[in-house]
Every structure is written in C-alpha cells, then in structure tokens.
C-alpha cells in the first residue's frame, strides 16, 4: 500500500512494489552465537503469517555489522530461499567499500529487489567520499537499485536536505530509508521527490512518517506486531487518524519496554518466548536477555500470543 502525499504521481513499478511494510529481520543464533539458518526460515514464515510481505535483511536489527561478509552472504541466500514472492531488500553497508560491493553483488545474484546501505562509519569522510561509496555500491549491484539508509543517530553521519537530494539524483538510487524523527525533512523530501521511495525507519513515529510523506516502512517491531502496523495503515487510508493514533500508542507501549531493556535483544527474547526461534542469544557485545533481565517482556509475550 502506498499512502504518501505523492501517491498520485506516476511511480516506477519497482517503487510501487517496494512501497509497503518491510520487516527488519532479526538473525537468530545458536547458543554459541553461530547463525541459525533453520530459525531464519521460521522468522520469515512468522513475519509473512502476520501479513507483512516485505523483508529487510542484514540491517541493524539483523546484527549485520557484527557478522563476517561470508556470514552475511549466507544469510541473504537463506532468506531468498524462504521469501517466496515477498519483496527483498538486502542491507550491504560496511566500513570498507570493497565489502559493501561484494555484498551488493551477492544480493544482485540472488534476485533481491534492491540493496540498501548505511554510510561508511567510524572514520571521518568528506561528503564527496561518501557519495563515491554509494556510487561504487550501485556499480557493483549491476542493475539492482540502491536505497540510501539515513540513520544519523547511529551512523554519526548527518545528511542535509541538499545531501539527500544529491544522493537521490544519483543513477541507480531509488529511495531512502529515513530513520530519523525529523518529519520536516521527510515532508521536504516528499515534496521535492514525489515519485521516490521513502521508507519510514523509526517504528515509534510510523504514523507521523506516513502523514509526512513516507510511502512504506522498514521496522524492527514488524517482526512481532506486523498486524498492528497493517491496521494502522488501513485507518490512515480511511482518514481515521484518531484510530491510527490509538494503534500507534499500543505499539509504542511495547517499544517503551524494548527501549528500556535494549531493543534488539528484547526482540529476540520475545521471538524466543513466542517459540519462533530456539534461543534469545545475540552476538556479543550485544547482551542476551534472560528471565531475570527481561523486564516486562514475559507479560508482553503473553499478550502477543493472545
């Protein structure tokens, strides 16, 4: 569903296909922190059963930056096999351009609809170098389009509106995952680029993101509350903003607790308690939650089962 202000503008078939909800998949682990490919398939199926038909693979929620390139490529392959007709976006961002390029080639060979990438992190880079990084990824993706991943709070890279406009103008770039609470910038982007793909990143401001111009979203909590976000979109489509706000508040009550105990470990703990994955283990230095450190997640998991 495409609910942005630019929905009446003509969009490419691929943008129309990706203008939906994409679950930012977790990456299940065994007790020894090895990737559990068997459980990846179960997570994909659980997400699809909730009605979510887009998958975002290897991002922050998937602990991608804590994995080797070979591990990330293997995860892309497992998800591709399990995804069926679902839309697939592979996150290929890396500190080194050559790693990002190898990941982009892998996604292209597996038939992913698009790749996505955070900017290069840790080392300070001139903006021209950052733009070059994205151009190199597009070249390696050999026709598979790129979605810029704008997440200044975690990447340390702050893009101005002019920076994002320049990135959207690059050949091969079709959109932005906008993980920011700056709704003014979201609205500015929609106004300036009515046919671009704008995907909301922060789940807690999803309603505001859609109202401000997002025509889809990528979210961590879609793993466990996908139906809620689909209901929220239906309310917005029918103009019932008050009902949408109530659903958003319901989601945010869960997000509040996830933030308190640590979001990514909390999501894994909930999926573990729901029987979707075999362990709540995260790759260190991320914490792994237990019954003594999970806060109210036991109560929340019972509500989700209901």
């Amino acid at each position: 569903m495409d609910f942005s202000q630019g929905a009446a503008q003509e969009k490419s078939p691929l943008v129309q296909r990706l203008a939906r909800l994409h679950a930012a998949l977790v990456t299940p682990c065994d007790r020894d922190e090895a990737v559990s490919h068997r459980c990846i398939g179960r997570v994909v199926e659980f997400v699809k059963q909730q009605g979510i038909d887009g998958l975002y693979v290897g991002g922050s929620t998937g602990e991608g930056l804590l994995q080797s390139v070979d591990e990330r490529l293997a995860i892309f392959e497992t998800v591709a096999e399990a995804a069926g007709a679902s839309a697939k976006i592979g996150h290929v961002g890396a500190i080194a351009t050559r790693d990002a390029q190898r990941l982009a080639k892998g996604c292209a060979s597996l038939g992913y609809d698009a790749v996505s990438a955070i900017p290069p992190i840790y080392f300070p880079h001139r903006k021209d170098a950052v733009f070059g990084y994205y151009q190199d990824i597009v070249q390696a993706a050999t026709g598979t389009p790129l979605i810029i991943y704008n997440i200044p709070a975690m990447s340390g890279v702050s893009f101005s509106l002019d920076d994002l406009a320049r990135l959207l103008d690059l050949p091969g770039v079709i959109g932005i995952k906008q993980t920011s609470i700056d709704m003014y910038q979201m609205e500015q982007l929609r106004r300036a680029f009515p046919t671009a793909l704008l995907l909301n990143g922060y789940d807690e401001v999803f309603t505001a993101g859609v109202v401000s111009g997002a025509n889809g979203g990528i979210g961590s909590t879609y793993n466990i509350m996908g139906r809620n976000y689909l209901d929220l979109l239906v309310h917005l489509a029918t103009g019932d903003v008050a009902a949408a706000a109530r659903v958003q508040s319901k989601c945010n009550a869960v997000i509040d607790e996830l933030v308190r105990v640590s979001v990514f470990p909390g999501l894994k703990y909930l999926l573990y308690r729901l029987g979707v994955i075999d362990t709540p283990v995260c790759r260190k230095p991320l914490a792994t939650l237990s019954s003594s450190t999970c806060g109210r997640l036991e109560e929340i998991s019972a509500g989700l089962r209901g």
Side-chain angles (χ1 to χ4, degrees), residues 184 244 280:
Y184 179 35

Side-chain angles (χ1 to χ4, degrees), residues 71-93:
E71 285 178 312
R72 294 173 73 178
L73 289 169
I75 292 165
F76 288 147
E77 184 172 1
T78 298
V79 173
E81 291 171 355
S86 297
K88 304 180 298 298
I89 303 170
H91 174 255
V92 303

Side-chain angles (χ1 to χ4, degrees), residues 80-248:
E81 291 171 355
S86 297
K88 304 180 298 298
I89 303 170
H91 174 255
V92 303
I95 294 177
T97 298
R98 62 190 297 173
D99 290 342
Q101 288 180 301
R102 186 178 166 204
L103 292 163
K105 288 178 182 177
C107 286
S109 69
L110 291 166
Y112 273 63
D113 295 279
V115 297
S116 179
I118 58 168
I121 61 172
Y122 183 72
F123 296 103
H125 301 285
R126 293 173 60 88
K127 285 291 173 64
D128 284 347
V130 175
F131 297 140
Y133 159 87
Y134 282 119
Q135 288 174 311
D136 289 339
I137 292 173
V138 169
Q139 184 179 30
T142 58
T144 299
L146 172 67
I147 299 166
I148 305 298
Y149 187 172
N150 183 29
I151 182 168
M154 294 181 72
S155 70
V157 179
S158 181
F159 290 127
S160 68
L161 180 65
D162 287 343
D163 292 333
L164 293 172
R166 181 177 169 185
L167 288 167
L168 280 171
D169 277 338
L170 292 175
V173 174
I174 62 166
I176 297 173
K177 178 187 177 186
Q178 181 76 342
T179 305
S180 167
I181 60 171
D182 187 347
M183 294 301 134
Y184 179 35
Q185 189 177 73
M186 180 82 84
E187 189 279 331
Q188 287 177 306
L189 286 166
R190 175 52 66 209
R191 238 186 312 133
F193 296 91
T195 63
L197 179 68
L198 295 181
L199 299 173
N200 184 78
Y202 279 136
D203 299 359
E204 58 269 35
V205 293
F206 179 74
T207 301
V210 173
V211 171
S212 299
N215 50 1
I218 297 171
S220 303
T221 58
Y222 303 176
N223 282 280
I224 57 170
M225 298 189 290
R227 291 190 183 93
N228 286 350
Y229 291 98
L230 290 169
D231 288 345
L232 193 157
L233 284 177
V234 170
H235 292 314
L236 288 178
T238 58
D240 194 344
V241 178
R246 287 194 293 272
V247 177
Q248 182 74 73

